[in-house]
Amino acid sequence: SAVISQKPSRDICQRGTSLTIQCQVDSQVTMMFWYRQQPGQSLTLIATANQGSEATYESGFVIDKFPISRPNLTFSTLTVSNMSPEDSSIYLCSVRLYTGELFFGEGSRLTVL
Amino acid sequence: QQQVKQSPQSLIVQKGGIPIINCAYENTAFDYFPWYQQFPGKGPALLIAIRPDVSEKKEGRFTISFNKSAKQFSLHIMDSQPGDSATYFCAASMSNGYSTLTFGKGTMLLVSP
């Protein structure tokens, strides 16, 4: 398995500001992903974090709004930029191992006022 | 082509009952089918997964049944307990460790005492 540390676990932010979420995994993994989960909803993939290169974004998500970095195999950050109340959600880091298993962090619960 | 359809949306069973959650997929290239369990305020946890070389897999009280020809798989929880009350997500992907997972919309399970 993989142990994923994600921080902050929760935050309350003002409209128009930006927040960076960090994700650290305890082992080298093939893939790192960022998901968003609205209350009571399923998991929506934001992007695949690629080591040393630009992330691959899913439809509806853009780099200017959700810039992602992955400087090495075990660490990634997601920034939520110019936040609005619609960005209030849980943001989840996940990693996929060489065995195919996918694990999630505990999530970062973001509230935008 | 990429959808995973999950049902029911919610489910209530009495303690000791056997809740069954069903999922259907469309992409015949999928060969990895995990289930996740999510408690409120927590990230989804990998519960059990199956690959299509077997029709059934058991881990403790949790069983996955897989029907390749029907492109369906299901989760059974034997002797369900109130502590099993959670949201369950099915998913599907290719097993190569480099693919993204497609998630179902989730089933909220309540096991009454």
Side-chain angles (χ1 to χ4, degrees), chain A residues 27-43:
Chain A
S27 58
Q28 293 186 358
V29 297
T30 58
M31 306 287 278
M32 295 184 77
F33 304 100
W34 288 96
Y35 284 84
R36 183 172 72 182
Q37 187 176 32
Q38 307 275 6
Q41 301 295 314
S42 188
L43 301 144

Side-chain angles (χ1 to χ4, degrees), chain A residues 18 53 66 85 89 97 111:
Chain A
S18 299
S53 64
F66 298 101
S89 190
L97 304 186
T111 302

Side-chain angles (χ1 to χ4, degrees), chain A residues 10 30-31 33 35 37 40-43 45 48 58 90 92 96-107 109, chain B residues 32 36 38 40-46 49 51 89 93-106 108:
Chain A
R10 58 178 63 236
T30 58
M31 306 287 278
F33 304 100
Y35 284 84
Q37 187 176 32
Q41 301 295 314
S42 188
L43 301 144
L45 180 63
T48 301
E58 298 299 305
I90 300 171
L92 292 151
R96 193 156 194 192
L97 304 186
Y98 296 96
T99 53
E101 296 161 309
L102 182 83
F103 297 95
F104 285 91
E106 292 291 4
R109 184 180 296 270
Chain B
Y32 177 69
Y36 289 83
Q38 186 177 30
K42 298 291 187 181
L46 179 61
R51 289 181 167 84
F89 293 96
S93 82
M94 290 180 281
S95 64
N96 58 24
Y98 294 89
S99 302
T100 60
L101 269 66
T102 302
F103 283 88
K105 292 187 180 298
M108 189 176 300

Side-chain angles (χ1 to χ4, degrees), chain A residues 59-71:
Chain A
S59 176
F61 298 96
V62 295
I63 187 171
D64 290 345
K65 177 66 175 178
F66 298 101
I68 289 170
S69 76
R70 188 181 174 190

